[in-house]
Amino acid sequence: MRSSQFFMPTMKETPAEAQIVSHRLMLRAGMIKQASAGIYSWLPLGFKVLKKIEQIVREEQDAIGCQEVLMPTIQPADLWRESGRYEDYGKEMLRITDRHEREMLYGPTNEEMITDIFRTHVKSYRELPKLLYHIQWKFRDEVRPRFGVMRGREFLMKDAYSFDLDFAGAKRAYNKMFVSYLRTYARMGLKAIPMAADSGPIGGDLSHEFIILAKTGESAVYCHRDLVEFDMLKTEIDHEGDLQPIVDRWTSLYAATDEKHDAATFEKIPADKRVNERGIEVGHIFYFGTKYSAPMKAQVGGQTGDPVTLHMGSYGIGVSRLVGAVIEASHDEAGIIWPESVAPFRIGLVNLKVGDAACDAVASDLYARCLAAKVEVLYDDRDDRPGPKLADMDLIGLPWQIVVGPRGVKSGVVEIKNRKTGEKVELAPEQAFNKLTARA
Ligand code: 5CA
């Protein structure tokens, strides 16, 4: 993509309304535009990151045999009356009346709808277990939408649902999700710690929140320092095997959110291992047994022929919130530092002197090579001063920069810069290209 054609309205000034760094940087980098409180349009740069995050989530759901569906955003109120949540949900639910005076709502979550799908089509224990998910926009009329996409009113969520015959089956599903979540966040360069949590309006008695530590997090969290050191991508996983030992490893050390915090237990941890920080909730998983299946009569014929009420769980990931969360975890004074796995482009190619025949030739050759090799590249071919161009590149945080300038070109080199480490090296264009594309 050429910067001269790309729609990326970056800003020099810090927008006054943004209180936290991710919100400021997302606005400054031209990733989002607020439509109204807590509701955002995603502009090309932001949308690319959103899609990358969504894809990692999808791959890790698919890897545990969870099947993707797509349910609507608008739901009939009657389904929610069956579970009893229509009244309970209160003002957070956006209620809509259609032209026939039928009561509808913009879904804040989908337990009722998926339970309805399941009870319609699944009649026998032989069809269990099943895991289904979708990635769909939700609406919750939060009292105080804030921090940009971190606490929006409209936000993108991956929500998965498990259906089993009994608790043992449901626990297996829960463990699969637990492990898949750890891999999902690790692939985005995040350290997410599962913490005992309250189940809130979703209900149930077994629940973990996945929290990343960040000073700007909304909740206070407490955990054992060793959890921060665990590396999930190094753990071999057989999704069909017994995952309990992995879950036990993560849950045997103390980790709790504010609501579940037990000061006495926390005090027993050696002082240098106590972490008391703030955290961002990037996922939440629940086992809630028959909370929805019982009132909604979601049953299957069991082995003896008697009807069995399904044991269910639900598993959410805040896909749009993760865009902000990754930035909270990875930025510096100059801007965003994208982990490679979610970066909107891998390489930012900067031509410092557009119009200079030698610079243009080297830069456009590198650009053509990247395109041919299918390496995602943003080519800054704008006729502007070097300072603002380099500042924009740092701001949008692509993992690698290739800087083509008149002085270097004269001596046959370009500069590559690693955005994260700041390390710069000068190489011949050919070598620079090979170095940055070898692993892509
Ligand atoms: N039905 C369950 C799981 S499928 C559920 O709704 N869980 S939740 O309420 O915990 O939401 C799941 C995830 O969505 C949260 O962990 C959080 O990362 C994200 N999320 C929740 N509310 C918002 C919001 N207002 N803005 C952005 N993301 C949100």
Side-chain angles (χ1 to χ4, degrees), residues 38 85 89 108-111 138 140 142 145-146 148-161 181 185 199 201-202 209-210 218 280-286 288 292 313-322:
R85 277 208 295 183
Y89 229 92
T109 176
N110 284 63
E111 280 81 4
K138 306 290 187 288
R140 293 182 186 172
E142 303 270 352
R146 57 190 179 147
V149 300
M150 299 275 262
R151 181 161 296 281
R153 292 198 296 164
E154 191 185 45
F155 58 96
L156 189 60
M157 193 202 285
K158 183 285 299 182
D159 39 325
Y161 302 88
Y181 274 35
Y185 301 120
S199 55
I202 310 293
E209 280 180 14
F210 288 75
E218 285 191 289
I280 301 169
E281 181 200 320
V282 288
H284 199 160
I285 61 177
F286 307 80
F288 45 69
Y292 301 92
S314 75
Y315 313 87
I317 290 185
V319 176
S320 50
R321 173 177 289 184
L322 272 166

Side-chain angles (χ1 to χ4, degrees), residues 13 52 71 100 103 133 159 210 247 249 282 312 373 383:
E13 288 75 34
K52 294 238 162 135
M71 291 177 270
H100 306 292
E103 289 173 285
Y133 76 101
D159 39 325
F210 288 75
V247 174
R249 178 163 186 249
V282 288
M312 292 175 55
D383 187 5

Side-chain angles (χ1 to χ4, degrees), residues 26-80:
M26 287 181 77
L27 290 170
R28 282 193 53 212
M31 294 174 65
I32 50 168
K33 158 87 170 72
Q34 183 174 304
S36 74
I39 305 179
Y40 291 88
S41 298
W42 291 78
L43 308 184
L45 192 76
F47 192 52
K48 273 177 175 288
V49 178
L50 187 68
K51 288 277 159 197
K52 294 238 162 135
I53 289 180
E54 186 183 310
Q55 187 55 23
I56 293 176
V57 170
R58 177 174 288 118
E59 286 169 15
E60 293 299 326
Q61 292 292 293
D62 293 347
I64 56 168
C66 196
Q67 299 171 46
E68 188 167 10
V69 299
L70 183 59
M71 291 177 270
T73 53
I74 307 288
Q75 307 184 20
D78 280 345
L79 265 184
W80 287 67

Side-chain angles (χ1 to χ4, degrees), residues 367-430:
Y367 181 56
R369 281 167 184 257
C370 287
L371 292 184
K374 299 217 177 334
V375 176
E376 291 173 297
V377 57
L378 181 66
Y379 172 26
D380 192 345
D381 59 342
R382 294 171 304 173
D383 187 5
D384 198 350
R385 285 172 300 126
K389 289 175 70 158
L390 293 172
D392 259 8
M393 236 0 135
D394 279 349
L395 171 66
I396 67 167
L398 309 182
W400 296 98
Q401 296 173 11
I402 306 182
V403 181
V404 180
R407 233 175 304 138
V409 165
K410 251 192 214 125
S411 42
V413 295
V414 296
E415 181 184 271
I416 48 179
K417 172 172 146 182
N418 180 303
R419 175 67 181 88
K420 187 170 174 188
T421 62
E423 197 186 329
K424 296 173 177 175
V425 276
E426 290 193 332
L427 292 172
E430 169 101 30

